[in-house]
């Protein structure tokens, strides 16, 4: 089991992350990756960047340290209607958008009905590409019903290595979520959610073990091969798809 890209990483634009873009790209290169998505926390998180940070990705090069770069955000779910903390006009310009629930932005527990409503709304958002660390116990949803909607709307469900450190209550849910993705043909991404270059390089083995245990097929893992990644970018209508394909294929 291996991946060719990490599609959820953070830089020190938030004070709880520790590396620059250049350092993260160098770590990705050392790990053997051909591509890297920088998805810094969107503005509703207490310590992250101003919205201008996410409107100015065009100031960055397409390759850093020999790695093809995808520039985006980890947008925060703000309400039970699936509202996010970045406007659609910004989201549509990004290369890769992860949508996640974080307690500072949506405090408290959710009922199963509320969690279902959130993700079913987000499934219909054309500018969201990936569903971030959604296995959390506080926000448990109906995996069968919702992954069918994700598959229909080409949303990628993330298997998140960071959960093994900071969201351990959701680890038992990962297998059930993966099983639903497999049964419903929903594609996944295997991501570090790294806030340091060390985590980018070292955190994935527990995820690989889980995927191997379930015999999860490579064709449903968007960052398992270069071809899978480029195909997924094209499926999502990403403007960067041809450029990224020209670099990594």
């Amino acid at each position: 089991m291996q991946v060719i890209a990490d599609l959820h990483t953070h830089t020190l634009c938030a004070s709880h992350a520790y590396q620059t873009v250049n350092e993260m790209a160098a770590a990705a290169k050392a790990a053997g990756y051909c591509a890297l998505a920088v998805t810094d926390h969107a503005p509703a998180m207490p310590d992250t960047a101003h919205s201008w940070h996410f409107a100015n990705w065009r100031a960055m090069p397409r390759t850093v340290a020999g790695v093809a770069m995808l520039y985006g955000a980890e947008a925060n779910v703000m309400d039970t209607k699936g509202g996010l903390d970045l406007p659609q006009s910004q989201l549509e310009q990004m290369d890769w958008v992860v949508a996640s629930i974080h307690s500072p932005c949506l405090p408290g527990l959710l009922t199963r009905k509320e969690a279902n409503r959130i993700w079913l709304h987000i499934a219909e958002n054309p500018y969201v590409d990936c569903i971030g660390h959604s296995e959390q116990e506080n926000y448990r949803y109906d995996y069968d019903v919702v992954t069918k909607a994700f598959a229909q709307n080409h949303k990628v469900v993330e298997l998140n290595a960071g959960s093994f450190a900071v969201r351990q209550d959701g680890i038992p849910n990962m297998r059930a979520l993966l099983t639903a993705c497999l049964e419903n043909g929903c594609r996944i991404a295997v991501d570090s959610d790294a806030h340091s270059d060390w985590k980018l390089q070292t955190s994935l083995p527990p995820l690989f073990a889980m995927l191997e245990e379930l015999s999860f097929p490579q064709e449903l893992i968007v960052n398992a091969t270069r071809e899978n990644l480029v195909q997924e970018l094209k499926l999502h209508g990403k403007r960067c798809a041809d450029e990224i394909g020209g670099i990594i294929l």
Side-chain angles (χ1 to χ4, degrees), residues 94-195:
M94 294 184 184
D95 298 329
W96 193 253
V97 176
V98 180
S100 304
I101 298 175
H102 293 102
S103 57
C105 306
L106 191 67
L109 301 175
L110 294 174
T111 66
R112 188 73 60 94
K113 183 177 180 180
E114 288 172 330
N116 287 350
R117 183 186 305 127
I118 285 172
W119 294 124
L120 290 172
H121 277 295
I122 287 178
E124 296 179 354
N125 187 325
Y127 306 121
V128 170
D129 302 298
C130 184
I131 309 303
H133 51 72
S134 67
E135 77 288 335
Q136 300 170 84
E137 182 61 28
N138 283 358
Y139 315 126
R140 180 72 183 262
Y141 59 97
D142 187 318
Y143 296 149
D144 181 57
V145 169
V146 177
T147 57
K148 286 176 181 174
F150 287 157
Q152 183 178 358
N153 290 278
H154 308 306
K155 302 305 177 207
V156 176
V157 171
E158 177 184 75
L159 191 60
N160 186 298
S163 295
F164 282 82
V166 297
R167 289 176 291 271
Q168 295 181 351
D169 64 318
I171 293 173
N173 297 335
M174 284 186 178
R175 286 179 180 81
L177 178 55
L178 279 174
T179 298
C181 288
L182 183 57
E183 290 175 350
N184 294 321
C186 182
R187 288 181 293 277
I188 71 164
V190 182
D191 293 333
S192 69
D193 192 2
H195 289 60

